[in-house]
């Protein structure tokens, strides 16, 4: 790479909490005004808030780019190994204040914008909250990208530049409605379009085999070609010392307009190929109930995998000059099963395009790729009909068959004559209409397969990958998820951050291990009051938002009980609202009792095709309508469903939460990251022994968390016994009454049968153990009520949750990936407090 001229900007910007230098302030004001005039084309007197936001964002971007290019050159000059992170989701949220904070420019920009007559807090609302993910998977990818930049690991994230993201959720009369998420309607000042970075991605057609120099050579003659165009977004690490790129691909047709067809009068037909190509990047997770929806989903996955691998191979060859050393210089991480086609695509590139012999290519592929599994749900491991594969990716199906031949030969050698074992590990499922198993493909084609919590990784070995683990022992390892404290503490909860800096020192901003210093103050009355004041302030902010959006008045002094995650049966929002119904009945029966005021806060989206989950949303809202307007309850129980859950909404809810609902059916939540964010901000967790809840318990102490319900092995046993829950319901009057209320129309008087399907499932098809776990959950909630009334003890437990969460930093997780999987160095050494979970209390995992 050529030497870059010195374009550095002044580095004398103030440290956090320090006075703003007048020279720096003047420079930033000048830069913003220059961008407003030269890049936006507006004078200050005519500029809208969006204009000011874009001008400020572009001024900040200029300062980021220098760090970005400098770091890029240094890593290439050093011949550093690079990490490529492939994910169908990147839920990055708003970047403006995140980048300002990491660059150390938050205060000076705040002051500069204030002098110019615009407020930073208002401008950040102008930035759209792109729904380029559906929840924990996409948010984890965003946290990991930030941590890789913070640890100066040269990396690129690869994904799709969706035109409309997931969807914008609107609640109309309690029902979810989906609308396009038009996050690009005002442009995107963070991205750089790279029109020169274009790759051909092929589909369909056929494969010709010819002999060349004694070898069989496959030539793919595609029936369709789509172009992938790159858009780069800089991801800034802490203190701005390193910047990585998030490269998202947009799809277009090589022939966007057939002019002869257009001139013949067929205006729509003239752009049909362009419309078909662009459909790939229109929308995250299209409904795959129809054949066309399934085809689009597979096209999306191959499109971004193919473009990404072509790009990283080209980068490697430019830096290293030879393909055989790929694994020594490149680590490719597959974030969940969606990028599994990387196995076959890398083989195609190596064998078909670079003439590497099959066995050598396979060794390179396995050594290069690693796979993170995020779920134990078999349906989430993805399978595709062989017929669809044959039609869309004929060469890749051939490669899968050949991989499977060697794979099954190994299976036969390991377990001779065991037909069931062979069928279990095969890449082709012959029992369900011949389908390609993508989870198995990712497992076989990767040298490392990691779960995302200790329990999840252990269960992988016992359940979905039991036989593959027997065939390839030692590949499965654990990397418990983490979160970036810069986003989920410093930005989301600035008042708590200021308090932590006072008590733990400025070093807490760089080393979360310093949070442990809080423990000495957990029982101090004065500090407890300061801590409660911060929480109360955050609850006032959330209460105001609930009032503005829902016209529901909630008391900030009440217990804020929060469940925020995508709506799914295994997440058990149904258990939560069922307990709310039982509590509602109990308050009505004894209104004179001294009940603990409680606000139940829900947020999350249901997949557009997930009808049962959407019915649960309707139930939550119908119950809220009755409970919130019942004068007998007198406000002691309020229920709020906040629509269109996204990163920015989470940043308001999480700091205000008193209680964190992590109540998934045991054995079904891989990890969770919302549980970490809420505990970090002082919420006590009520949850099952599932996912990372176990490690949170080990770190914060069993006395500072509320565990209930069956464990994973109990769930398996119960399911074998049957799913009918009538025996459980018979023994639980509160549960029986709540289910009867749902089924009889107490909360849907205009449509009494609306929720009968839910009531029937609770009685006879209790797959997710909602009825079975109800009494344990209800009792645990009453235990929470009792703890809440002892204010000093509750505050102490809340403080200890914050103090003992250091291990859940995504920096720690990425250090483990770097050391154990990618074999890449990181800057500095891990603080001692981040190395062992629960070390101070002797906890074990």
């Amino acid at each position: 790479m050529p030497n870059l001229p010195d374009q550095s900007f002044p580095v004398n910007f103030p440290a956090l909490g320090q006075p703003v230098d007048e020279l720096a302030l003047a420079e930033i004001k000048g830069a913003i005004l220059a961008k407003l005039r030269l890049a936006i084309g507006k004078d200050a007197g005519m500029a809208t808030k969006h204009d000011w936001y874009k001008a400020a964002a572009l001024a900040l971007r200029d300062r980021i780019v220098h760090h970005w290019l400098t770091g890029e050159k240094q890593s290439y000059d050093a011949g550093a190994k690079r990490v490529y992170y492939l994910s169908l989701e990147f839920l990055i949220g708003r970047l403006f204040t995140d980048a300002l904070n990491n660059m150390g420019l938050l205060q000076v920009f705040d002051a500069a914008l204030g002098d110019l007559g615009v407020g930073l807090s208002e401008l950040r609302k102008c930035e759209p909250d792109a729904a380029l993910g559906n929840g924990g998977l996409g948010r984890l990818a965003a946290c990991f990208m930030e941590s890789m930049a913070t640890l100066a690991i040269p990396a690129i994230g690869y994904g799709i530049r969706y035109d409309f993201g997931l969807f914008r959720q609107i609640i109309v009369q309690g029902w979810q409605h989906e609308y396009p998420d038009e996050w690009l309607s005002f442009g995107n000042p963070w991205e750089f379009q790279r029109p020169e970075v274009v790759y051909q991605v092929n589909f369909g057609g056929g494969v010709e085999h010819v002999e060349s120099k004694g070898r069989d050579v496959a030539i793919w003659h595609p029936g369709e070609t789509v172009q992938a165009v790159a858009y780069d977004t800089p991801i800034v690490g802490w203190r701005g010392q390193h910047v990585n790129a998030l490269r998202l691909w947009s799809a277009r047709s090589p022939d966007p307009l057939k002019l002869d067809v257009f001139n013949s009068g067929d205006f729509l037909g003239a752009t049909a190929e362009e419309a078909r190509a662009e459909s790939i990047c229109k929308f995250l997770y299209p409904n795959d109930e129809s054949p066309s929806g399934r085809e689009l989903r597979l096209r999306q996955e191959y499109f971004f995998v193919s473009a990404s691998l072509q790009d990283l191979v080209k980068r490697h060859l430019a830096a290293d000059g030879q393909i055989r050393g790929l694994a020594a210089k490149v680590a490719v991480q597959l974030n969940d099963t969606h990028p599994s086609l990387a196995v076959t695509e890398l083989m195609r590139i190596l064998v078909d395009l670079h003439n590497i012999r099959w066995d050598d290519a396979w060794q390179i592929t396995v050594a290069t790729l690693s796979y993170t599994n995020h779920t134990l749900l078999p349906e989430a491991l993805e399978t595709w009909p062989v017929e669809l594969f044959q039609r869309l990716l004929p060469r890749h199906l051939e490669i899968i068959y050949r991989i499977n031949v060697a794979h099954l030969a190994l299976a036969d050698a390991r377990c001779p004559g065991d037909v069931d074992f062979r069928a279990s590990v095969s890449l082709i499922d012959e029992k369900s209409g011949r389908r390609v198993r993508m989870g198995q493909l990712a497992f076989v084609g990767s040298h490392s397969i990691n779960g995302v919590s200790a329990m999840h990784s252990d269960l992988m070995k016992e359940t979905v990958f039991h036989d593959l683990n027997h065939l390839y022992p030692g590949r499965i390892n654990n990397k418990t998820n983490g979160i970036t404290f810069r986003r989920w503490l410093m930005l989301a909860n600035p008042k708590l951050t200021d308090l932590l800096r006072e008590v733990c020192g400025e070093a807490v901003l760089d080393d979360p291990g310093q949070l442990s210093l809080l423990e000495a103050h957990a029982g101090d009355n004065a500090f407890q009051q300061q801590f409660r004041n911060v929480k109360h302030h955050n609850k006032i902010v959330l209460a105001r938002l609930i009032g503005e959006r829902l016209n529901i008045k909630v008391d900030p002094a009440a217990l804020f009980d929060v469940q925020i995650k995508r709506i799914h049966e295994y997440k058990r929002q149904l258990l939560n609202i069922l307990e709310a119904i039982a509590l509602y009945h109990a308050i009505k029966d004894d209104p004179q009792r001294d009940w603990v005021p409680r606000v139940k806060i829900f947020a999350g989206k249901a997949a557009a095709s997930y009808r049962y989950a959407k019915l649960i949303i309707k139930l939550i809202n119908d119950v809220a309508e009755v409970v919130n307007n019942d004068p007998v309850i007198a406000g002691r129980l309020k229920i709020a469903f906040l629509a269109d859950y996204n990163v920015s909404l989470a940043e308001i809810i999480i700091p205000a939460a008193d209680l964190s609902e992590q109540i998934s059916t045991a054995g079904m939540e891989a990890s969770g990251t919302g549980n970490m964010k809420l505990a970090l901000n002082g919420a006590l967790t009520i949850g099952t022994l599932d996912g990372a809840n176990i490690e949170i318990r080990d770190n914060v102490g069993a006395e500072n968390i509320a565990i209930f319900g069956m464990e994973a092995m109990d769930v398996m046993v119960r399911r074998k016994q049957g799913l009918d829950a009538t025996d459980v319901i018979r023994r639980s009057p509160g549960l029986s009454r709540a289910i009867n209320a749902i089924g009889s129309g107490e909360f849907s008087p205009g449509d009494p049968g609306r929720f009968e399907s839910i009531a029937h499932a609770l009685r006879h098809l209790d797959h997710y153990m909602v009825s079975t776990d109800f009494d344990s959950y209800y009792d645990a909630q009453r235990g929470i009520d009792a703890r809440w009334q002892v204010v000093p003890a509750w505050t102490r437990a809340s403080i200890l949750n914050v103090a003992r969460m250091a291990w859940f930093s995504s920096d720690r997780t990425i250090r483990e990936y770097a050391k154990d999987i990618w074999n890449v160095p990181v800057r500095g050494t891990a603080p001692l407090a981040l190395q062992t979970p629960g070390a101070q209390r002797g906890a074990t995992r």
Side-chain angles (χ1 to χ4, degrees), residues 536-552:
H536 189 70
H537 166 83
N538 295 333
K539 292 171 73 173
I540 290 173
V541 173
L542 178 55
R544 187 180 300 125
L545 180 79
I546 292 171
E548 292 170 353
R549 291 195 180 186
L550 302 176
N551 197 29
I552 299 171

Side-chain angles (χ1 to χ4, degrees), residues 71-72 75-76 80-84 148-149 151-156 242-244 824-825:
E72 187 87 347
S75 67
Y76 272 110
K81 187 175 185 179
R82 310 183 78 78
V83 174
Y84 298 95
M148 281 187 268
L151 298 175
I153 296 173
I156 293 179
H242 189 83
V243 180
N244 282 326
V824 297

Side-chain angles (χ1 to χ4, degrees), residues 400-693:
I400 288 171
Y401 283 151
R402 184 165 177 182
I403 293 171
N404 207 31
V405 168
H407 168 58
L408 292 179
L410 181 62
D412 290 338
R414 180 64 57 87
C415 298
D418 191 334
V419 176
D420 291 338
F421 180 80
R422 177 186 173 93
S424 170
V425 300
S426 176
L427 303 186
I428 307 297
D429 182 359
E430 304 284 357
K431 297 179 180 178
S432 304
R434 302 200 74 234
R435 302 177 69 88
V436 180
R437 293 166 159 165
M438 303 308 290
Q440 272 89 337
L441 177 63
F443 192 110
V444 172
S446 300
H447 69 277
S448 168
I449 296 87
N450 72 277
V452 289
S453 73
M455 179 184 182
H456 171 231
S457 298
D458 289 341
L459 285 175
M460 282 168 55
K461 300 174 184 178
E462 301 299 325
T463 58
V464 291
F465 293 136
H466 175 271
D467 289 341
L468 283 170
N469 183 55
H470 178 65
L471 192 57
Y472 301 97
R475 285 195 183 182
I476 295 179
N477 62 93
N478 179 58
K479 297 290 172 283
T480 298
N481 285 341
I483 57 173
T484 170
F485 288 18
R486 272 82 60 180
R487 167 78 74 155
W488 294 109
L489 181 60
M490 296 181 201
L491 281 178
N493 204 340
K495 288 190 176 296
L496 179 57
T497 301
D498 288 343
L499 186 58
L500 296 176
R501 289 163 61 198
E502 289 178 20
V503 174
C504 304
E506 293 296 318
V508 75
L509 301 177
D510 300 286
D511 176 11
Q514 299 300 309
L515 288 173
S516 63
L517 297 176
L518 277 182
E519 293 208 27
H521 303 269
D524 180 79
N525 291 335
F527 180 75
Q528 283 196 359
Q529 187 59 55
Q530 290 180 287
F531 190 87
R532 284 194 293 269
N533 290 343
V534 169
K535 179 67 73 172
H536 189 70
H537 166 83
N538 295 333
K539 292 171 73 173
I540 290 173
V541 173
L542 178 55
R544 187 180 300 125
L545 180 79
I546 292 171
E548 292 170 353
R549 291 195 180 186
L550 302 176
N551 197 29
I552 299 171
K553 185 177 180 180
V554 300
D555 183 1
L559 189 158
F560 278 21
D561 176 354
V562 167
Q563 188 174 18
I564 45 175
K565 50 187 79 251
R566 63 187 173 96
I567 310 299
H568 196 289
E569 288 169 88
Y570 90 83
K571 304 280 189 183
R572 297 205 295 190
Q573 286 89 356
L574 183 54
L575 176 60
N576 192 347
I577 197 62
L578 198 63
E579 188 270 337
I581 294 170
L583 178 58
Y584 168 66
H585 288 155
I587 297 173
K588 281 183 72 74
D589 290 345
D590 188 7
Q592 302 307 315
R593 181 176 164 183
D594 185 21
W595 295 96
V596 170
R598 184 184 289 247
V599 181
K600 279 188 174 283
I601 299 161
F602 295 87
K605 298 178 181 180
S609 60
Y610 196 169
R611 296 182 182 88
Y612 195 85
K614 294 168 83 169
L615 187 62
I616 291 173
I617 292 176
K618 174 61 173 170
L619 175 63
I620 293 169
N621 282 284
D622 280 1
V623 173
E625 182 69 21
V626 172
V627 171
N628 294 343
N629 294 293
D630 191 331
V632 176
I633 300 303
R636 286 170 290 189
L637 176 63
K638 290 289 183 76
I639 301 171
F641 187 99
L642 289 165
D644 205 34
Y645 181 57
N646 55 25
V647 175
S648 297
L649 181 56
E651 289 171 345
I652 297 173
I653 296 174
I654 287 171
D658 295 306
L659 185 65
S660 166
E661 298 272 354
Q662 307 299 331
I663 59 176
S664 56
T665 310
M668 301 194 74
E669 184 71 79
S671 172
T673 51
N675 48 6
M676 303 170 192
K677 297 162 193 168
L678 285 151
L680 177 65
N681 282 271
L684 270 63
T685 299
I686 183 169
T688 51
L689 279 179
D690 197 31
N693 287 355

Side-chain angles (χ1 to χ4, degrees), residues 74 145 170 173 184 212 237 247 258 261 267 274 297 318 339 358 399 422 445 509 535 540 550 626 730 754 767 776:
Q74 289 173 348
M145 287 300 300
I170 303 293
Q173 296 182 337
L184 290 171
S212 176
R247 173 161 285 187
K258 293 190 176 299
V261 178
F267 307 131
E274 178 72 355
R297 181 79 169 268
W358 179 272
I399 292 171
R422 177 186 173 93
L509 301 177
K535 179 67 73 172
I540 290 173
L550 302 176
V626 172
R730 192 180 305 113
R754 178 180 296 153
H767 183 75
S776 179

Side-chain angles (χ1 to χ4, degrees), residues 269-302:
T271 58
E273 287 189 12
E274 178 72 355
R276 177 171 168 79
E278 290 182 351
S279 68
I280 290 174
C281 62
K282 281 295 180 189
F283 185 70
L284 170 65
Y285 294 143
N287 188 339
D288 59 0
E289 289 185 322
S290 66
S292 58
R294 287 190 289 275
E295 178 176 326
L296 178 56
R297 181 79 169 268
L298 183 57
R299 282 165 61 85
Q300 284 182 327
E301 293 181 3
Y302 177 63

